[in-house]
Amino acid sequence: MDRTVQLTARPVARAFAYDPPPPRRSLHLRAAAVLEGNWTGTSTVPSHGLYPHQWSWDSAFIAIGVRHLSPLRAQTELETLLAAQWGDGRIPHIVFNPSVPLDAYFPSPDFWRSSTAGRAAGAPRTVQTSGIVQPPVHALAAWLVHCADPGLSRARSFLARVYPKLAAWHRYLLHRRDLGGGGLASVVHPWEQGMDNSPCWDAPLARVTPAPARSFRRADLAHGSPEDRPTDLDYGRYVRLAAEYRDGEYADGQGEFAVEDPSFNALLIASEHALARIAGELGATGTARHARAERLTAALVERLWDPAEGMFFCRDLRGGGLIPERGVSGLVPLLLPGLPRDLAATLVRTACGPHFGLGSSTRLPPSYDLLGEAFDPHRYWRGPAWSNTAWLLERGLRLHGERARADALREAVLETADATDFAEYVDPYTGEACGATGFGWTAALALDLLHEPTGHGVSTTGTGTFDGRGLSDVSDLSGTDGEAAKAGKGGERG
């Protein structure tokens, strides 16, 4: 090499014992990078390897976070999902990407056969979907996305276009899925409730004859530890239920599995309040929707609340009675503004007590009872903690005046997301990462919490306010005095 080149060349960087460690990118930038990496151009996948399609309630949570980066992209996320809505109003739990190979995920489009088996229910002909649903977070997401940039939303007529679809979705749940006759929506498959492998499903699933293991090939075992995933026996029961629903042309009320779930219905109630806000934005009155949300709250308490145990339980409509398993689903109704004060206080005590250990023995709320026989800190929904349920409980704590606990939970969610590279779920005791990393809703909800100032009386971004304004007083939301609103008594809130 020429001597001049040697002298002027940049020296090779060498590590030095006293150099500070390289700066780590901020949590905000890393969350944004996850969401950018999972973006397909029209929607966001939860995880490219394990979940390579669009999932219904994932997209709602993702839109809530993405609105802080790009309100337009958040609107597109929801619009893409709603474009696959069925004629009967249901929003399918998966919208399949036709460019993804069939063997990348099971059950694949050729299992669900939506365009043929779902023809009577109005399944779209040009988009392949599943035939079951997931929790109705969508109206809440749509309202929050609107609030992120009302000018853009109005210019694109975003709410005017999605409102009829969301109203049809709620009609489907309130009429076609009121299988118990008590006003609440039922789920007809564990996958619909979202907490797929919860011990809450063990009793009703025990009646289901599993499909033979040789009749299906699980793609999920290639992307995670088999000991953390549902067993083949459980998966066989899931497949049997889904196949029978499909073979019945997706008609509701005929299957062996029908359960009223507190979390599913709490999210429906929250979204009814959000639909009332959307109606108001569009120049209509939301009074009827607020009233419906209050009636649903009363039905939830009447049918699913167990005062002796201090929480909500699932009701098995085929086996009869409440299912005596403590899942995190039974705490989620804390996010409801119409929940009576004594019930809200009891739910907080239960969440912080020995069964869930929030704020003491656990970093994040476990998905299942710490003292339950089926508890497993790593097995899918049988104990691990998830960011979406933590986010919902953080909203509920903040709404009902538990600011210190809400702030502590917020910090725990952010610290865990940071330490685990946005893991799908974590060990509730240690925070150890489980499942996929770079998970969509973990990044999105961390991003949302980063935009939430601590010590706020009422969340500006979360469930309970259903608002995007910087409100700090509950009375601003309800038209009632602040104390009555905190007590969950009277007034219409969205």
Side-chain angles (χ1 to χ4, degrees):
M1 178 184 290
D2 182 88
R3 180 64 175 158
T4 304
V5 174
Q6 287 182 319
L7 292 172
T8 58
R10 178 184 292 272
V12 176
R14 292 186 181 356
F16 184 63
Y18 302 106
D19 281 342
R24 194 179 188 195
R25 286 194 303 167
S26 72
L27 186 62
H28 181 283
L29 290 177
R30 290 189 294 116
V34 167
L35 294 168
E36 182 64 29
N38 290 3
W39 175 244
T40 68
T42 55
S43 64
T44 308
V45 299
S47 160
H48 279 291
L50 187 54
Y51 306 106
H53 302 286
Q54 183 179 26
W55 261 259
S56 172
W57 76 326
D58 290 74
S59 277
F61 285 124
I62 286 167
I64 289 170
V66 166
R67 70 194 172 107
H68 299 294
L69 302 174
S70 169
L72 177 59
R73 203 169 99 191
Q75 291 178 28
T76 302
E77 182 82 39
L78 296 174
E79 290 165 350
T80 300
L81 179 67
L82 291 172
Q85 186 174 28
W86 290 27
D88 64 1
R90 81 182 75 194
I91 297 174
H93 99 295
I94 302 174
V95 180
F96 290 105
N97 182 343
S99 67
V100 174
L102 285 178
D103 62 357
Y105 182 82
F106 178 84
S108 50
D110 57 343
F111 172 89
W112 294 104
R113 305 171 202 161
S114 60
S115 59
T116 54
R119 185 179 296 129
R125 296 182 179 181
T126 58
V127 181
Q128 293 297 311
T129 75
S130 67
I132 60 174
V133 302
Q134 274 190 325
V137 199
H138 311 90
L140 172 59
W143 176 246
L144 295 177
V145 166
H146 162 79
C147 291
D149 190 338
L152 174 68
S153 176
R154 291 167 186 147
R156 297 187 69 247
S157 300
F158 170 65
L159 292 182
R161 287 184 292 108
V162 301
Y163 180 81
K165 293 177 177 289
L166 295 170
W169 168 222
H170 285 211
R171 279 196 301 274
Y172 168 78
L173 293 174
L174 291 168
H175 296 289
R176 302 287 185 91
R177 288 299 189 89
D178 182 12
L179 304 181
L184 299 182
S186 300
V187 295
V188 299
H189 196 290
W191 290 340
E192 292 198 314
Q193 192 266 357
M195 304 176 192
D196 308 5
N197 197 37
S198 170
C200 298
W201 314 132
D202 289 355
L205 277 177
R207 298 189 298 268
V208 178
T209 302
R214 64 182 181 276
S215 66
F216 57 89
R217 188 193 67 81
R218 297 178 59 178
D220 63 313
L221 299 181
H223 299 281
S225 301
E227 61 270 20
D228 292 349
R229 306 294 298 173
T231 65
D232 281 345
L233 181 62
D234 286 332
Y235 220 89
R237 290 184 167 119
Y238 302 153
V239 171
R240 173 77 67 182
L241 276 177
E244 290 180 349
Y245 192 40
R246 174 201 65 204
D247 294 344
E249 297 185 326
Y250 297 109
D252 294 313
Q254 301 176 3
E256 298 175 82
F257 187 99
V259 174
E260 293 174 349
D261 173 75
S263 175
F264 192 99
N265 281 280
L267 291 171
L268 175 59
I269 295 166
S271 281
E272 270 294 306
H273 281 302
L275 272 184
R277 283 292 176 90
I278 293 172
E281 168 66 22
L282 296 175
T285 176
T287 303
R289 292 202 176 276
H290 282 306
R292 183 180 294 117
E294 295 301 328
R295 289 197 301 272
L296 287 169
T297 301
L300 184 74
V301 172
E302 179 184 353
R303 292 183 64 80
L304 305 186
W305 175 253
D306 187 328
E309 300 296 339
M311 65 181 297
F312 292 89
F313 287 94
C314 298
R315 179 176 290 277
D316 182 359
L317 297 179
R318 298 293 182 253
L322 298 180
I323 300 171
E325 298 285 359
R326 296 178 180 87
V328 71
S329 171
L331 303 178
V332 170
L334 186 64
L335 63 84
L336 296 177
L339 201 65
R341 173 185 290 183
D342 57 334
L343 267 66
T346 300
L347 274 181
V348 172
R349 287 195 298 271
T350 300
C352 298
H355 294 287
F356 294 94
L358 184 61
S360 55
S361 61
T362 58
R363 294 190 179 192
L364 298 179
S367 50
Y368 178 66
D369 183 0
L370 298 172
L371 305 180
E373 291 184 9
F375 174 78
D376 185 326
H378 288 180
R379 191 176 285 278
Y380 204 65
W381 288 111
R382 299 180 83 84
W386 295 70
S387 61
N388 66 328
T389 53
W391 183 86
L392 292 169
L393 291 181
E394 192 271 352
R395 307 289 84 176
L397 289 168
R398 198 170 298 284
L399 172 66
H400 289 285
E402 296 284 346
R403 301 182 189 182
R405 287 191 169 101
D407 286 345
L409 181 53
R410 170 186 180 272
E411 290 306 309
V413 172
L414 294 175
E415 290 171 3
T416 303
D418 187 25
T420 63
D421 192 24
F422 307 101
E424 182 182 2
Y425 52 102
V426 300
D427 183 310
Y429 290 120
T430 67
E432 176 188 349
C434 302
T437 55
F439 197 70
W441 75 28
T442 306
L445 296 177
L447 194 62
D448 189 60
L449 289 175
L450 282 170
H451 284 258
E452 168 66 31
T454 58
H456 220 242
V458 176
S459 165
T460 61
T461 57
T463 308
T465 70
F466 316 111
D467 211 323
R469 299 170 294 167
L471 300 176
S472 60
D473 191 330
V474 184
S475 61
D476 290 338
L477 299 174
S478 64
T480 62
D481 67 278
E483 285 304 309
K486 289 176 186 175
K489 298 177 180 177
E492 293 179 348
R493 284 164 285 172

